[in-house]
Amino acid sequence: MSYIRFRKQFLHIPYLLLGTLEFCLLFFVYRLLASGVQLVIFLPPELAPGTLAALVFALMLSAGTLSMGGYSSLANENAISLFFRTLVAYCFVGGLGLTIVYLFVPALDPGSSALFYAVALSSLIVILCRLAFLKVVDSEQLVRRVVVFGAGPFAANLMQEYEQNMRAMGVRIIGCIADNSDQAAVKKDQLLPIPVNFHEFCRHNKVSEIVIAAQERRQAQGGFLPMAGLMECKLRGITVTSGVDFYERELKKAKLDMVHPSWILFSDGFSASRRRALAKRFVDLALSLALLAIMSPFIILTAIAVFLETGRPVLYSQQRIGLLGKEFRIYKFRSMRQDAEKDGKARWASANDNRVTRVGGFIRNTRLDELPQIYNVIKGEMSFVGPRPERPEFVSELKEKIPLYDTRHYVKPGLMGWAQLKYPYGASVEDAKGKLEYDLYYSKNHSLLMDILIMIQTVEVVLLGKGVR
């Protein structure tokens, strides 16, 4: 098993080990420099000594890595992109975080030149560590070998996702075993012969997990499910996983084509907790008031910029669908022309939308247009983290075309969300379906820990302008 589950979150052991190793390296690098060890020629010894300073240093730089998607993108990056992502995470995001901490706790500040050397040396060591780690963990001797039972559209979709997104550290899908050879949809080179003895096949091929991705109504379609063989594998230590659970664990989403109401009904997620709701509300209020105080200058400047370019109104409001399907009015800084919907008909935003003004394009890229929604959070209509609320006109259409779409309304909508991190801007029914897969995952597994991780990782979305139209 290459993962553990903590607070409903699947944590992959390779990434967890890497994060722990990097944190320890950052801590000890700082401590060594603080002790005056001359690791760099002419390195000034002014680094603030003490365990607390080292912990803060390691924590801020590790948070910078998380915020820039340093672990989630690691398996698909080359050395150059790894180098630049690490520099941005450490020198910009981590450095900015440390600067803010030092403003409030100046005793921890080692000085700008000393901090520069510490960050530079840490960046170099961590990059080398990651390159070595990738070679070790991603080697064929250490990967978790997986076989898919099924070769229909579900299995074909899973293999396509694997080739595009799932070739992560520690996982190898070696192929598919057809449950119905006459209706195979996967590529021929991905098909494996049907084994006579499933356990012997798994033992011979060093398979540690079987993923069931067989089509529904397989008996009526001439398919089969070898229950005796799969039970033997399960009882002899080989993990047998349903396709939907494999998607959830590896891709952090619920594959909509494989999800049924029974999955929602009998799963261990989708649990409502009054205590958690109160804790989430407390965090929302605290963060809203703090963010309002910090961002007040930007709110004023944004309002002035919108007014100078296109006049009044500065704010734009729309009806949105919130918790339990209740409508509420959401507020944004206006980023489009006043006549963007002059005929009163709701339209999806499109790429390079000509209705967006110059100031509007900037505030959309930087997410400054969303700042008035702090008011919605304070009122309790929204949370900091949750599915993005949609317009009633679109919800009516989407509920008719997408199964289980209404389930996203059992969680309070948010300023930022899991789908916004994982899926591009939604501007069609198909996009809404893709986003719902991530919203379902969030609805099933949401926790305070997941909310914190989403808020940290949203930094990358804002800095790189992802998912903006």
Side-chain angles (χ1 to χ4, degrees):
M1 185 174 70
S2 65
Y3 64 91
I4 59 174
R5 195 170 188 185
F6 177 75
R7 297 282 185 177
K8 301 183 182 180
Q9 306 306 309
F10 291 103
L11 304 177
H12 287 263
I13 291 176
Y15 291 103
L16 198 59
L17 287 175
L18 179 59
T20 304
L21 177 61
E22 287 184 5
F23 185 90
C24 293
L25 284 173
L26 293 170
F27 177 85
F28 285 114
V29 164
Y30 192 97
R31 287 288 289 171
L32 284 171
L33 297 180
S35 301
V37 178
Q38 300 297 309
L39 298 180
V40 180
I41 298 176
F42 304 122
L43 177 69
E46 299 92 37
L47 283 170
T51 301
L52 179 59
L55 285 173
V56 170
F57 178 81
L59 183 63
M60 286 294 104
L61 265 59
S62 296
T65 299
L66 275 176
S67 68
M68 292 304 297
Y71 299 121
S72 59
S73 61
L74 186 57
N76 300 316
E77 283 191 320
N78 56 36
I80 295 175
S81 59
L82 172 62
F83 174 77
F84 283 108
R85 186 182 292 271
T86 304
L87 284 184
V88 172
Y90 281 10
C91 300
F92 182 74
V93 181
L96 181 62
L98 286 170
T99 301
I100 294 172
V101 170
Y102 296 153
L103 285 175
F104 290 95
V105 191
L108 299 177
D109 189 354
S112 57
S113 60
L115 182 61
F116 169 80
Y117 284 114
V119 172
L121 181 59
S122 298
S123 300
L124 176 62
I125 291 175
V126 165
I127 289 171
L128 294 175
C129 172
R130 289 183 186 180
L131 291 173
F133 188 85
L134 278 173
K135 287 189 176 297
V136 172
V137 175
D138 210 31
S139 65
E140 290 298 327
Q141 290 75 25
L142 296 177
V143 297
R144 177 166 49 92
R145 294 169 64 83
V146 175
V147 67
V148 176
F149 181 80
F154 289 167
N157 188 279
L158 192 153
M159 293 302 294
Q160 183 179 2
E161 293 264 23
Y162 169 72
E163 293 296 334
Q164 293 176 351
N165 305 307
M166 292 171 59
R167 295 190 67 88
M169 294 185 302
V171 180
R172 281 291 180 276
I173 297 181
I174 65 172
C176 301
I177 298 172
D179 58 327
N180 187 337
S181 56
D182 295 331
Q183 298 182 10
V186 301
K187 298 175 184 177
K188 288 185 179 180
D189 61 348
Q190 295 173 338
L191 278 174
L192 300 172
I194 299 175
V196 176
N197 185 308
F198 269 79
H199 181 260
E200 283 299 314
F201 168 83
C202 292
R203 188 179 65 81
H204 177 74
N205 291 280
K206 299 180 181 179
V207 172
S208 58
E209 183 173 13
I210 302 172
V211 177
I212 308 299
Q215 294 296 103
E216 288 296 310
R217 301 180 296 277
R218 51 187 169 269
Q219 297 297 334
Q221 296 172 350
F224 75 104
L225 187 65
M227 292 300 297
L230 293 174
M231 285 179 61
E232 181 184 7
C233 291
K234 174 80 172 182
L235 294 171
R236 297 185 70 169
I238 298 170
T239 304
V240 180
T241 308
S242 70
V244 66
D245 289 340
F246 187 76
Y247 262 101
E248 182 182 351
R249 190 183 74 218
E250 301 297 335
L251 280 176
K252 306 295 186 294
K253 70 178 183 178
K255 187 60 181 173
L256 203 57
D257 295 336
M258 304 178 76
V259 166
H260 300 282
S262 59
W263 174 73
I264 295 177
L265 191 62
F266 296 113
S267 73
D268 61 351
F270 299 102
S271 55
S273 167
R274 182 173 176 80
R275 184 175 63 180
R276 183 189 179 280
L278 289 173
K280 188 176 175 72
R281 179 63 180 148
F282 174 79
V283 172
D284 285 340
L285 283 173
L287 287 176
S288 297
L289 295 174
L291 189 62
L292 188 61
I294 294 170
M295 299 301 292
S296 292
F298 297 97
I299 292 174
I300 295 170
L301 289 173
T302 302
I304 293 172
V306 172
F307 177 77
L308 290 177
E309 184 183 32
T310 54
R312 301 169 63 182
V314 170
L315 292 179
Y316 176 69
S317 66
Q318 282 181 339
Q319 288 294 114
R320 297 290 176 101
I321 299 297
L323 184 64
L324 302 178
K326 295 179 180 178
E327 290 192 23
F328 70 99
R329 186 163 290 277
I330 198 174
Y331 295 92
K332 294 183 177 184
F333 281 117
R334 184 169 53 80
S335 59
M336 291 186 176
R337 304 190 311 264
Q338 290 95 330
D339 61 348
E341 291 181 355
K342 57 184 177 182
D343 58 359
K345 184 178 180 181
R347 293 182 178 86
W348 296 101
S350 59
N352 301 316
D353 200 318
N354 59 12
R355 297 174 296 167
V356 178
T357 65
R358 285 179 299 175
V359 170
F362 175 77
I363 63 176
R364 280 183 169 223
N365 277 311
T366 55
R367 297 305 197 277
L368 291 171
D369 64 322
E370 309 280 359
L371 287 176
Q373 290 167 43
I374 297 174
Y375 172 71
N376 294 110
V377 176
I378 293 173
K379 283 184 67 178
E381 297 166 333
M382 293 177 65
S383 177
F384 250 84
V385 179
R388 286 295 294 167
E390 197 51 84
R391 300 175 68 172
E393 300 91 335
F394 296 147
V395 169
S396 300
E397 176 188 4
L398 296 172
K399 284 168 65 175
E400 293 178 1
K401 297 182 177 180
I402 302 177
L404 305 177
Y405 185 80
D406 209 31
T407 55
R408 72 196 302 274
H409 298 134
Y410 286 87
V411 178
K412 188 180 289 188
L415 279 171
M416 56 193 78
W418 189 238
Q420 279 64 51
L421 285 178
K422 298 296 183 179
Y423 198 88
Y425 190 95
S428 67
V429 173
E430 194 60 32
D431 286 340
K433 181 179 177 181
K435 289 176 66 177
L436 179 61
E437 294 180 338
Y438 292 104
D439 286 335
L440 270 175
Y441 177 86
Y442 178 80
S443 299
K444 180 177 184 288
N445 300 293
H446 66 97
S447 65
L448 188 58
L449 172 63
M450 187 175 187
D451 287 355
I452 293 171
L453 291 174
I454 289 173
M455 284 187 276
I456 291 174
Q457 292 177 64
T458 300
V459 172
E460 181 189 13
V461 175
V462 174
L463 288 179
L464 301 183
K466 290 184 174 181
V468 176
R469 290 190 181 180

